[in-house]
């Protein structure tokens, strides 16, 4: 018998979990951190699926998540075309959904409120959550991450930039890397029309964190 858990059961166990998804560079991580601090919520940052032991992953059941363990080196990954990279990201997202739902059920088991920077796609969030537990944060323009990605003081981004510089043609590799952010597949998530509450960030100079925080808190009824 193939195990399948009904969405109404998952929704019950995630009733104290609040999700923020959307574009890169829209401020998701900042808002999750600030909401956790301001309202005493459990902070669940991006890539929380990493809590699952890597040695327990199965390369046949989770090939996307196991890719970094099987690739020949970083140049192989960085040389993916935008189409190839999109397919890999989509595969990883599908594989992460199961792990992330289980991790969130564990985090919320004691009744504490959890705020999460999630990659769970909107069509899944519709099944496992509700309107006042999900917010979508957008950028205008949506592809600004291609310009701003390496502006952040982030160890992971510094590592990636160093790997790009080690490639035979760093400039070409960087152009290809940036092209991942501007690639638009034939069928993609229409972030602006998910049906969930959304906030669009278009000012990348002024500090609008408190204003955004207040809007999210009202939406989440905190």
């Amino acid at each position: 018998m193939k195990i399948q858990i009904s969405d109404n059961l998952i929704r019950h166990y995630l009733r104290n979990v609040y999700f923020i998804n959307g574009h890169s560079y829209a401020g998701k991580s900042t808002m999750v951190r600030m909401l956790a601090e301001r309202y005493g919520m459990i902070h669940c940052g991006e890539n929380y699926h990493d809590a699952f032991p890597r040695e327990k992953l199965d390369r046949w059941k989770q090939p996307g998540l196991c890719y970094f363990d099987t690739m020949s080196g970083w140049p192989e990954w960085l040389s993916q075309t935008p189409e190839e990279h999109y397919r890999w990201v989509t595969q990883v997202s599908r594989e992460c959904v199961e792990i992330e739902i289980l991790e969130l059920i564990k985090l919320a088991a004691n009744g504490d409120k959890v705020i999460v920077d999630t990659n769970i796609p909107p069509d899944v969030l519709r099944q496992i959550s509700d309107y006042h537990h999900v917010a979508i944060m957008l950028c205008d323009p949506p592809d600004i991450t291609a310009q701003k990605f390496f502006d952040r003081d982030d160890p992971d981004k510094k590592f990636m930039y160093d790997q790009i510089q080690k490639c035979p043609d760093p400039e070409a590799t960087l152009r290809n890397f940036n092209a991942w952010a501007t690639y638009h597949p034939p069928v993609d998530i229409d972030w602006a029309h998910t049906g969930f509450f959304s906030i669009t960030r278009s000012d990348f100079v002024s500090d609008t964190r408190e204003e955004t925080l207040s809007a999210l808190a009202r939406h989440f009824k905190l």
Side-chain angles (χ1 to χ4, degrees):
M1 180 181 82
K2 184 180 175 74
I3 297 174
Q4 183 174 345
I5 301 176
S6 299
D7 54 9
N8 63 309
L9 302 181
I10 297 173
R11 195 180 302 116
H12 169 75
Y13 284 103
L14 296 182
R15 64 191 180 278
N16 290 320
V17 178
Y18 299 80
F19 300 90
I20 296 181
N21 201 342
H23 292 155
S24 297
Y25 216 79
K28 302 190 301 295
S29 298
T30 299
M31 285 301 105
V32 167
R33 175 178 53 79
M34 290 181 69
L35 285 164
E37 293 172 354
R38 192 72 54 90
Y39 295 97
M41 307 170 81
I42 295 176
H43 176 200
C44 193
E46 189 180 16
N47 297 328
Y48 53 97
H49 57 266
D50 288 343
F52 188 83
R54 289 201 63 80
E55 67 273 12
K56 299 295 184 181
L57 293 171
D58 186 308
R59 61 179 297 186
W60 306 112
K61 295 178 180 178
Q62 293 91 28
L65 285 169
C66 291
Y67 175 81
F68 290 134
D69 299 325
T70 58
M71 67 181 182
S72 60
W74 288 105
E76 176 188 315
W77 184 69
L78 290 165
S79 66
Q80 288 180 339
T81 65
E83 295 85 351
E84 290 170 337
H85 182 74
Y86 176 79
R87 286 196 294 270
W88 173 75
V89 169
T90 301
Q91 182 179 44
V92 169
S93 179
R94 286 198 301 266
E95 294 170 7
C96 285
V97 166
E98 293 177 303
I99 297 173
E100 293 177 359
I101 288 174
L102 292 171
E103 285 296 325
L104 290 172
I105 289 174
K106 182 174 69 174
L107 286 173
N110 292 327
D112 296 316
K113 290 184 176 179
V114 180
I115 180 71
V116 52
D117 180 356
T118 189
N119 289 316
I120 297 177
D123 61 327
V124 177
L125 291 174
R126 276 190 217 100
Q127 300 174 58
I128 65 172
S129 192
D130 61 46
Y131 181 79
H132 284 288
H133 283 70
V134 179
I136 305 297
M137 296 187 67
L138 308 174
C139 284
D140 183 18
D143 298 331
I144 195 168
T145 183
Q147 307 167 33
K148 300 283 189 179
F149 187 83
F150 291 112
D151 289 355
R152 300 176 180 178
D153 184 16
D154 182 311
D156 291 338
K157 290 176 175 58
K158 182 181 184 304
F159 173 82
M160 194 52 56
Y161 186 77
D162 290 343
Q163 296 306 313
I164 290 172
Q165 296 307 306
K166 292 177 183 178
C167 289
D169 189 342
E171 291 186 7
T173 303
L174 181 59
R175 284 195 301 271
N176 184 65
F177 185 89
N178 288 335
W180 294 351
T182 56
Y183 173 68
H184 297 288
V187 180
D188 196 8
I189 295 172
D190 185 355
W191 287 107
H193 299 91
T194 63
F196 288 120
F197 172 81
S198 66
I199 294 178
T200 300
R201 179 185 184 186
S202 56
D203 184 348
F204 299 92
V205 178
S206 304
D207 185 351
T208 58
R209 286 178 293 180
E210 286 296 333
E211 180 182 344
T212 303
L213 181 73
S214 296
L216 288 169
R218 288 194 301 272
H219 168 64
F220 288 143
K221 299 183 177 181
L222 299 177

